[in-house]
């Protein structure tokens, strides 16, 4: 059972994503501003490089963060040099992992079927998958078709241990977040699509990601159908991230 899901479901979930950034020497200083803090309205989490999972788990003691991974192998175990399995993550008591981030879909040609297979491995190991979906700028006029094809393989997963992150590719790292109207429309569509498949999917949380900053985080989080945020660039500086979280009430 995932640690995040035993928290208050009404709480919003805010996840920082370090991507392939930070060095070992930066880990302990990162957590200093968050020591002995608690944020009542949000569950806080951080997706870190595999290499730093264990040291982050030690260093974050006394802070409100859960530590998770950014990816997992689609394979169970065996001769897959360089891969990390869901069972290996579970053996470190990792509670969640991103899968299907657009950078992986694009740079490593991960199909929606592979992404769903990875999410399944995580669920089988008792880890919460955060499945990222989102359209490119060219795909924006027909976002519904794109999202349907990304979400369909996800419908075979257990809805009780699943989070979706909507991250329009054109908004990631560009400084140009989606508008409130865009987000309401797309999150509404995702929730409708999931619920239409099965009522059990109506409780799946849907996060927004893409150029979230201290300035826009609060209004994005208050938007209809937004259950949390996935934050890349603005999670890298701990002092700035702490200020961003403070705006969330
Ligand atoms: C991300 O990495 O998932 C992301 C949304 O990045 P940024 O916040 O920098 O746009």
């Amino acid at each position: 059972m995932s640690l995040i899901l035993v928290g208050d479901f009404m709480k919003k979930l805010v996840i920082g994503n370090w991507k392939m950034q930070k060095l070992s020497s930066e880990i302990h200083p990162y957590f200093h501003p968050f020591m002995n803090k608690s944020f009542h309205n949000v569950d806080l989490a951080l997706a870190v490089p595999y290499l730093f999972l264990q040291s982050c788990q030690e260093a974050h003691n006394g802070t409100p963060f859960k530590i998770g991974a950014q990816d997992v192998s689609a394979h169970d175990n065996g001769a897959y040099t360089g891969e990390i399995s869901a069972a290996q993550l579970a053996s470190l008591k990792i509670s969640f992992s991103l899968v299907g981030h657009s950078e992986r879909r694009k740079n490593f040609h991960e199909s929606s079927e592979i992404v769903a297979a990875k999410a399944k491995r995580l669920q089988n190991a008792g880890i919460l998958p955060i499945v990222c979906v989102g359209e490119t700028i060219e795909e924006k006029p027909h976002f519904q078709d794109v999202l349907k094809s990304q979400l369909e393989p996800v419908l075979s997963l257990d809805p009780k241990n699943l989070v979706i992150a909507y991250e329009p590719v054109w908004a990631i790292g560009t400084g140009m977040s989606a508008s409130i109207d865009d987000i309401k429309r797309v999150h509404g569509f995702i929730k409708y699509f999931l619920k239409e498949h099965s009522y059990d999917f109506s409780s799946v949380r849907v996060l927004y990601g893409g150029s979230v900053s201290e300035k826009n985080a609060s209004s994005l989080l208050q938007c209809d159908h937004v259950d949390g945020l996935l934050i890349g660039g603005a999670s890298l500086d701990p002092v700035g991230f702490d200020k961003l979280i403070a705006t969330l009430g």
Side-chain angles (χ1 to χ4, degrees):
M1 164 71 76
S2 149
L3 290 173
I4 288 176
L5 285 191
V6 298
D8 180 350
F9 185 73
M10 296 308 286
K11 274 190 179 181
K12 307 272 184 167
L13 173 58
V14 175
I15 306 179
N17 177 15
W18 281 2
K19 309 193 184 191
M20 195 178 71
Q21 286 159 131
K22 300 219 171 281
L23 301 175
S24 171
S25 56
E26 296 173 270
I27 291 172
H28 275 274
Y30 184 90
F31 290 104
H32 277 163
F34 302 101
M35 274 304 158
N36 303 316
K37 282 205 173 162
S38 53
F39 299 96
H40 298 293
N41 298 330
V42 290
D43 284 321
L44 263 191
L46 209 52
V48 305
Y50 288 137
L51 189 62
F52 298 150
L53 281 170
Q54 210 158 6
S55 37
C56 283
Q57 274 197 319
E58 286 157 17
H60 90 293
N61 269 325
T63 77
F65 286 104
K66 303 276 188 289
I67 300 298
Q70 300 173 2
D71 191 28
V72 71
S73 176
H75 302 287
D76 190 14
N77 68 10
Y80 297 100
T81 302
E83 292 278 273
I84 303 287
S85 74
Q88 288 172 324
L89 294 179
S91 74
L92 292 184
K93 303 204 176 347
I94 295 303
S95 57
F96 77 94
S97 178
L98 307 182
V99 283
H101 192 284
S102 64
E103 289 153 14
R104 295 213 58 88
R105 289 181 189 260
K106 177 170 181 272
N107 299 331
F108 302 97
H109 313 291
E110 289 187 7
S111 66
S112 297
E113 287 67 31
I114 287 180
V115 172
K118 289 181 170 198
K120 188 82 185 159
R121 294 278 182 214
L122 290 169
Q123 289 192 333
N124 290 345
I127 298 172
L128 172 71
I130 317 285
V131 178
C132 304
V133 297
E135 80 287 359
T136 63
I137 193 73
E138 294 78 19
E139 293 166 338
K140 197 170 178 224
H142 53 104
F143 75 89
Q144 293 176 329
D145 296 336
V146 175
L147 293 181
K148 258 188 204 173
S149 73
Q150 293 177 344
L151 288 169
E152 252 151 21
V154 167
L155 299 175
S156 62
L157 297 170
D158 175 3
K160 289 191 285 306
N161 196 27
L162 177 66
V163 170
I164 305 292
Y166 168 61
E167 298 204 298
V169 179
W170 46 270
I172 297 179
T174 60
M176 193 178 72
S177 94
S179 69
I180 298 288
D181 281 350
D182 275 339
I183 295 173
K184 276 187 192 163
R185 188 166 44 245
V186 180
H187 279 237
F189 168 77
I190 293 172
K191 294 223 166 182
Y192 172 79
F193 177 81
L194 294 173
K195 192 172 167 187
E196 195 188 38
H197 169 72
S198 150
Y199 187 76
D200 293 342
F201 276 81
S202 55
S203 57
V204 171
R205 286 192 278 188
V206 181
L207 316 185
Y208 168 77
S211 293
V212 177
S213 67
E214 191 187 325
K215 285 205 177 107
N216 63 16
S218 172
S219 51
L220 293 171
L221 195 60
Q222 281 168 36
C223 193
D224 288 350
H225 311 304
V226 172
D227 303 310
L229 301 170
L230 179 53
I231 305 177
S235 70
L236 294 177
D237 166 35
V239 175
F241 195 29
D242 187 27
K243 282 191 194 154
L244 183 158
I245 297 159
T247 67
L248 304 179

